[in-house]
Amino acid sequence: MREALTAAATRRVTRPAPLRQAVYDALTELIVNGSLKPGQHLVEAELAEHLGVSRQPVREALQRLQTDGWVDLRPAQGAFVHSPTEEEAAQLLGVRAVLETYSAQLAAQHAKPEDVERLWELHGEGVDALAAGDIERLVAANTALHTYVTSIADNAVLAELIAGVSQKVRWYYTPIARPRGKEAWNEHAQLIRAIAKGDADRAGEVMRKHTERTTGFYRKQLAAGANQD
C-alpha cells in the first residue's frame, strides 16, 4: 500500500492557483458576454493591464482557454477569440436540446405550486428586460429560468450534464437574445403552463421546439455573418 501511494504521489495533479483560476474565469466571462468578440486578437499585455495582473497568469489562462475551445492560439500570430463554426453550434445546441427536453419533462412531474410561482417571476424578469432592451439582464433571466427548470427536475446527473454545456450555450445565445426575445419568452410561457399542469409530454415538446428554434435562429445569424465577411 505504502509503495503504491508513493508511486501515485509522483503523478499528483497540481491544483491551479486561485489567481490563475480567477484570470481564466474573468476572460471566459468577457468572451461569453461579448466584451471580447469572436476573432478578436488577444494581447497578453493589454489583458494583464485590464485585469490588474502580470502576464504569466494571463498566458497560462490563454493556454487553458485554447484547450477548452474558447481561444485559438496561432503560431507567430498570437491568441484570438474562437469563432464557433456552424457545426460546433449545431452539436452543442443539439445536445442541449436533448438534455433540456428531459429536464422539462421531469420538472412537470415534480413541480410544486411555489416552483411554478417562481418560474412566473423569472418570466416576468425576462419580459421586463426585453422591454427595456437590457441584453445583460435578458440573458441572465433566460439562464435563470432554464436553470430553475433543471433544479425542479431534481436529477443530479442531468443537472451536471446541463451545467457542462450551459456556459457555451449562454455565449451562443447572447448575440440573438434580443431579436429572438419576443418569440422565446412566449415559448417560455407555454412551457410554464405545461409544467403547472403536470403535463410532462407537453412540457417536453414545448422545450424541444424551443431549443430547436433557438438553434435554427443562431445558425441563420451565423450564416448571415459569414456572408457579410
Side-chain angles (χ1 to χ4, degrees):
M1 175 70 74
R2 186 183 300 274
E3 292 178 357
L5 288 175
T6 300
T10 64
R11 300 192 296 273
R12 283 182 297 188
V13 175
T14 303
R15 293 179 179 273
L19 178 59
R20 189 184 313 166
Q21 182 65 46
V23 171
Y24 174 90
D25 291 342
L27 291 177
T28 303
E29 181 59 29
L30 288 171
I31 293 171
V32 170
N33 68 27
S35 297
L36 297 175
K37 302 185 182 303
Q40 183 173 340
H41 186 205
L42 302 176
V43 181
E44 284 183 12
E46 293 177 359
L47 294 174
E49 182 179 1
H50 176 75
L51 297 174
V53 299
S54 68
R55 293 176 63 174
Q56 182 61 29
V58 171
R59 184 176 302 116
E60 293 171 348
L62 290 175
Q63 292 285 346
R64 184 177 164 196
L65 287 165
Q66 179 191 39
T67 300
D68 293 345
W70 296 102
V71 164
D72 297 325
L73 297 180
R74 304 174 189 168
Q77 295 184 49
F80 297 81
V81 178
H82 180 66
S83 296
T85 66
E86 183 176 338
E87 183 61 25
E88 287 172 347
Q91 289 181 8
L92 183 81
L93 295 174
V95 169
R96 178 235 186 177
V98 172
L99 296 174
E100 295 214 18
T101 295
Y102 184 42
S103 176
Q105 292 171 336
L106 292 179
Q109 294 171 4
H110 293 102
K112 300 178 179 64
E114 56 267 31
D115 294 324
V116 175
E117 182 178 354
R118 179 55 182 156
L119 286 172
W120 281 120
E121 290 174 357
L122 293 170
H123 183 271
E125 291 175 15
V127 171
D128 289 346
L130 179 61
D134 189 330
I135 303 302
E136 185 174 347
R137 275 181 56 207
L138 186 59
V139 173
N142 181 76
T143 301
L145 188 144
H146 281 265
T147 300
Y148 197 74
V149 170
T150 300
S151 72
I152 299 170
D154 195 26
N155 184 310
V157 174
L158 180 63
E160 183 178 0
L161 291 172
I162 290 176
V165 300
S166 63
Q167 198 169 38
K168 283 195 175 176
V169 168
R170 187 160 63 93
W171 183 30
Y172 294 171
Y173 185 71
T174 296
I176 66 171
R178 189 170 183 176
R180 167 96 170 101
K182 184 176 180 180
E183 182 182 47
W185 287 93
N186 285 340
E187 292 161 6
H188 285 154
Q190 295 172 26
L191 174 65
I192 297 170
R193 292 188 192 103
I195 290 174
K197 292 178 181 178
D199 190 338
D201 290 340
R202 172 64 179 161
E205 180 66 7
V206 171
M207 181 66 91
R208 183 185 64 79
K209 289 182 178 179
H210 171 69
T211 53
E212 287 178 353
R213 285 169 182 154
T214 297
T215 301
F217 199 99
Y218 180 83
R219 295 178 76 169
K220 287 179 182 177
Q221 293 288 100
L222 202 64
N227 291 334
Q228 291 174 1
D229 293 341

